[in-house]
Amino acid sequence: MKTPAIDPIFALGEENPFGQYFDGQSYLKMLCTEGVSIGNVTFEPGCRNHWHIHHAEKGGGQILLCTAGRGWYQEWGKEARELHAGDVVQIPAGVKHWHGAAKDSWFSHLSIEVPGEKTANEWLEPVSEEAYGALK
């Protein structure tokens, strides 16, 4: 396992078991699985997850608490937002989005699954190389 070129607050974890939905290598360390699911996700440079949606009939969604490195978050149809340690991203249920590391930086965030009714994640297409490559 590689040593990240960042100083993570939480342990790196294991290779992400959801890796088929990521381009590049990521790691996952679950911090809490009861009540509210919280995972520390660490991305190697250039790694990002595919477009996805957190569905819920009521409540739901996701919160990202950025802890180290530099990354990106983008909602479908909007400009990408650069992320740094200390940034918070609130993602309502039903919003198509992706997040991941910058090309030249490791990136870590806590992924908090907001409790809701009848929640489910829908994984979609990868972020295009062209769109990702255009980011600074």
Side-chain angles (χ1 to χ4, degrees), residues 73-87:
Y73 167 77
Q74 185 175 19
E75 292 181 4
W76 188 257
K78 295 185 179 180
E79 293 292 319
R81 172 182 162 193
E82 188 171 349
L83 300 175
H84 301 274
D87 288 340

Side-chain angles (χ1 to χ4, degrees), residues 6 8 12 15 26 29 31 33 41-42 47 50-51 53 66 68 77 79 85 98 105 109 118 127 131:
I6 54 175
L12 184 64
E15 288 189 10
S26 65
K29 172 68 174 171
L31 304 176
T33 57
V41 184
T42 302
C47 178
H50 295 181
W51 289 98
I53 301 171
C66 304
E79 293 292 319
W98 69 269
S105 177
H109 65 56
K118 297 188 179 177
V127 176

Side-chain angles (χ1 to χ4, degrees), residues 47-126:
C47 178
R48 67 268 186 199
N49 54 31
H50 295 181
W51 289 98
H52 59 286
I53 301 171
H54 301 277
H55 293 286
E57 282 191 7
K58 184 176 181 183
Q62 184 179 43
I63 299 170
L64 306 178
L65 302 178
C66 304
T67 59
R70 186 170 74 90
W72 293 99
Y73 167 77
Q74 185 175 19
E75 292 181 4
W76 188 257
K78 295 185 179 180
E79 293 292 319
R81 172 182 162 193
E82 188 171 349
L83 300 175
H84 301 274
D87 288 340
V88 176
V89 180
Q90 294 183 333
I91 308 162
V95 173
K96 183 176 179 178
H97 67 283
W98 69 269
H99 35 101
K103 293 175 263 194
D104 60 352
S105 177
W106 284 77
F107 178 62
S108 290
H109 65 56
L110 297 183
S111 172
I112 302 169
E113 298 299 319
V114 177
E117 295 178 11
K118 297 188 179 177
T119 61
N121 290 343
E122 178 184 9
W123 290 100
L124 303 164
E125 72 274 10

